[in-house]
């Protein structure tokens, strides 16, 4: 009975959140809401897990995702749909509509993949999702991608299916997958619509919660951002503002002209092109704490900024320097993370992290972009009286790092794919 009441309560909150979703549309841009999968607004988690348990789960997902992402970045895998990252580990959800007439679609917003796909009828194998499964036969705007086209050849496993239709198979490192055919379809956000390539998945494994599929926000030609430019003339820009983790507040995501990040406090750094075009690489030159500055491995594009990874992962030598500086500044007793995910934790008694004297940590990116990370970006209370650093060391053989979404919270972060620039602006995102 209690579980039924909890399920009903979360569904009501979720429906209210959709009724209050912010959608701002202009001639060449639009804005809508993002929400964390573990917030009260999310339909993906109906359990009665505690706040600390939800944090621990997010950290475990983050470690799994970061290991796969760094492995692929290090090997510079071929461009295409084969991915070593399971987007089910993604952290933020986005609501759009697909087709004509429009059908509500709840997708995992993923900067670590390109293809936007949805479960489609007829279903050979489908997992349970919250919204009705999309039926392309009932959409007047859906058309198949022929197999003898450049679009079909853009996917690793694109091949000819029945009647010359392009079939795809998108397999992830966690063995989840989507298999089906590629199509062109209308995606609607508010009153604005764009034409995009989508995967129509007729066979999909679990691992995606109750989401309808994945919204690919990577840098490749099949991502939603690139498709907007190719089919609708909307500039290849997007930006987002993420509230602090589990704050139970909506963030926002902007596209086109709405995605411009400007004004006082903005700093920018170049986006670096690599063989794996899906990921967004930037160059971290150093990290400073007080008067101590720790230099990063001098390699262009040595970190990936990713919305779906919670923790920030640093090359081991750089991480060790950060820990050394923190141990000089924070005088509290060192304790262990009861969940075993994080390495540097302190006993904060009954006090907040601020009372520990946690300093501002400054990340120095190329181009003079100095980003001040507050304690809310770098530490998290993981249990009663236990506050832990939310930075982790990569394996000793890994030269890359990841800027995770905790470090991105309360910044408006802009991806300008045309100017090849990433911008940060301190902002209250909730």
């Amino acid at each position: 009975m209690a579980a039924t009441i909890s399920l009903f309560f979360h569904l009501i909150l979720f429906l209210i959140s959709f009724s209050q979703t912010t959608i701002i549309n202009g001639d060449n841009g639009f804005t809508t809401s993002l929400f964390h999968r573990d917030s009260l607004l999310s339909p993906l988690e109906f359990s009665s897990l505690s706040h600390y348990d939800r944090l621990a789960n997010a950290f475990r997902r983050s470690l799994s995702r970061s290991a796969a992402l760094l492995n692929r970045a290090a090997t510079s895998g071929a461009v295409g749909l084969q991915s070593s990252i399971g987007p089910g580990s993604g952290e933020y959800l986005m609501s759009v509509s697909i087709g004509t007439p429009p059908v509500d679609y709840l997708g995992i917003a993923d900067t670590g993949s390109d293809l936007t796909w949805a479960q489609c009828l007829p279903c050979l194998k489908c997992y349970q999702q919250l919204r009705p499964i999309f039926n392309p036969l009932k959409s007047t705007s859906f058309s198949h991608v022929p197999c003898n086209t450049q679009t079909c050849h853009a996917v690793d496993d694109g091949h000819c299916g029945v009647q010359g239709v392009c079939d795809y198979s998108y397999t992830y490192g966690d063995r989840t997958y989507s298999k089906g055919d590629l199509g062109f379809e209308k995606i609607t956000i508010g009153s604005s619509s764009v034409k995009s390539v989508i995967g129509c998945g007729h066979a999909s494994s679990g691992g995606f919660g109750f989401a309808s599929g994945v919204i690919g926000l990577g840098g490749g030609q099949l991502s939603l951002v690139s498709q907007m430019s190719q089919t609708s003339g909307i500039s290849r820009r997007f930006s987002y503002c993420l509230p602090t983790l589990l704050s139970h507040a909506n963030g926002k995501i902007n596209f086109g002209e709405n995605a411009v990040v400007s004004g006082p406090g903005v700093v920018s750094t170049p986006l670096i092109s690599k063989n794996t075009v899906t990921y967004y690489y930037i160059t971290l030159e150093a990290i400073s704490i007080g008067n101590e500055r720790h230099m990063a491995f001098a390699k262009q594009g040595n970190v990936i900024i990713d919305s779906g990874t919670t923790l920030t992962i640093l090359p081991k030598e750089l991480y060790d320097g950060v820990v050394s500086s923190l141990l000089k500044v924070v005088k509290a007793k060192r304790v262990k993370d009861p969940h075993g995910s994080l390495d540097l934790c302190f006993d904060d008694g009954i006090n907040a992290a601020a009372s520990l004297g946690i300093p501002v940590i400054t990340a120095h990116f190329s181009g003079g972009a100095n980003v001040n990370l507050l304690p809310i970006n770098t530490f998290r209370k993981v249990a009663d009286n236990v506050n832990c650093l939310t930075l982790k060391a990569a394996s000793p053989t890994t030269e890359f790092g990841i800027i995770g979404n905790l470090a991105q919270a309360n910044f408006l972060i802009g991806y300008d794919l045309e100017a090849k620039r990433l911008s940060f602006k301190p902002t209250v995102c909730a």
Side-chain angles (χ1 to χ4, degrees):
M1 181 67 177
T4 302
I5 293 173
S6 176
L7 174 63
F8 177 76
F9 172 71
H10 279 83
L11 280 172
I12 291 297
L13 281 173
F14 176 62
L15 292 173
I16 290 173
S17 76
F18 271 131
S19 70
Q20 296 177 340
T21 294
T22 302
I23 299 176
I24 304 171
N25 299 284
D27 292 336
N28 292 294
F30 40 89
T31 297
T32 190
S33 295
L34 285 174
F35 52 94
H36 194 273
R37 60 180 291 165
D38 286 333
S39 77
L40 287 176
L41 303 178
S42 170
L44 299 192
E45 301 289 347
F46 293 123
S47 67
S48 57
L49 292 176
S50 71
H51 173 85
Y52 296 142
D53 287 336
R54 288 174 183 267
L55 272 179
N57 286 343
F59 295 158
R60 280 191 286 267
R61 291 192 301 267
S62 179
L63 292 173
S64 175
R65 179 181 173 95
S66 62
L69 194 156
L70 290 174
N71 178 67
R72 191 174 184 214
T75 56
S76 296
V79 177
L81 286 186
Q82 294 298 324
S83 172
S84 57
I85 304 173
S89 65
E91 297 298 299
Y92 286 89
L93 302 172
M94 177 179 167
S95 178
V96 300
S97 299
I98 57 175
T100 307
V103 175
D104 288 345
Y105 171 95
L106 178 69
I108 298 170
D110 185 21
T111 58
S113 62
D114 289 326
L115 184 70
T116 295
W117 62 265
Q119 293 198 116
C120 291
L121 296 175
C123 257
L124 302 178
K125 181 182 179 182
C126 287
Y127 60 87
Q128 183 182 1
Q129 65 179 55
L130 186 70
R131 296 294 182 178
I133 293 176
F134 179 63
N135 186 349
L137 296 178
K138 292 186 176 181
S139 173
T140 59
S141 52
F142 181 86
S143 62
H144 284 105
V145 172
C147 63
N148 59 349
T149 59
Q150 183 179 356
T151 299
C152 187
H153 297 156
V155 306
D156 281 351
D157 196 33
H159 59 276
C160 281
V162 178
Q163 297 180 336
V165 170
C166 180
D167 285 354
Y168 76 94
S169 177
Y170 201 157
T171 303
Y172 299 96
D174 58 4
R175 298 185 180 180
T176 57
Y177 62 85
S178 172
K179 299 178 181 180
D181 40 66
L182 289 184
F184 296 104
E185 184 54 289
K186 186 166 71 173
I187 297 179
T188 302
I189 302 178
S191 59
S192 298
S193 297
V194 295
K195 198 79 170 180
S196 178
V197 173
I198 71 165
C200 215
H202 300 291
S204 306
S205 68
F208 305 99
F210 289 92
S212 309
V214 174
I215 299 174
L217 298 174
Q221 63 174 303
L222 294 180
S223 77
L224 181 60
V225 184
S226 296
Q227 289 292 303
M228 287 178 180
S229 174
Q230 294 171 28
T231 65
S232 304
I234 296 173
S235 58
R236 293 180 69 214
R237 297 191 194 101
F238 72 100
S239 63
Y240 54 68
C241 205
L242 306 178
T244 55
L245 186 62
L246 305 188
S247 65
H248 307 315
N250 282 338
K252 64 179 180 179
I253 184 167
N254 317 287
F255 296 93
E257 289 185 357
N258 288 23
V260 174
V261 179
S262 60
V266 175
V267 295
S268 299
T269 188
L271 285 168
I272 306 300
S273 298
K274 298 269 187 180
N275 288 338
T276 309
V277 297
T278 298
Y279 305 148
Y280 296 106
Y281 296 89
I282 54 179
T283 303
L284 177 63
E285 295 181 339
I287 289 180
S288 61
I289 299 174
N291 294 323
E292 295 192 357
R293 187 180 179 103
H294 306 281
M295 303 304 295
F297 180 74
K299 179 178 181 179
Q300 276 203 330
N302 57 1
V303 293
I304 297 166
I305 184 165
D306 181 44
S307 66
T309 302
T310 300
L311 302 172
T312 289
I313 312 297
L314 297 177
K316 188 176 188 309
E317 185 175 346
L318 183 58
Y319 172 82
D320 288 344
V322 169
V323 169
S324 174
S325 292
L326 287 172
L327 288 174
K328 296 175 185 177
V329 176
V330 181
K331 301 302 182 183
K333 177 184 176 183
R334 190 170 177 178
V335 294
K336 290 185 177 181
D337 173 10
H339 299 284
S341 295
L342 304 176
D343 302 316
L344 180 64
C345 302
F346 296 102
D347 184 346
D348 67 358
I350 60 173
N351 301 312
S355 66
L356 291 175
I358 295 172
V360 171
I361 298 177
T362 302
H364 303 277
F365 297 103
S366 62
N370 301 323
V371 178
N372 292 324
L373 303 176
L374 303 179
I376 194 69
N377 298 113
T378 57
F379 273 79
R380 185 63 50 165
K381 194 177 184 75
V382 300
D384 290 344
N385 306 335
V386 180
N387 235 295
C388 295
L389 176 69
T390 54
L391 279 58
K392 288 277 291 183
S395 69
T397 59
T398 301
E399 297 178 348
F400 290 97
I402 299 171
I403 306 300
N405 59 51
L406 280 178
Q408 300 174 49
N410 283 342
F411 287 94
L412 178 61
I413 299 180
Y415 297 69
D416 189 332
L417 278 60
E418 296 180 351
K420 295 185 177 180
R421 181 176 63 240
L422 184 86
S423 299
F424 299 84
K425 181 179 182 179
T427 308
V428 177
C429 293

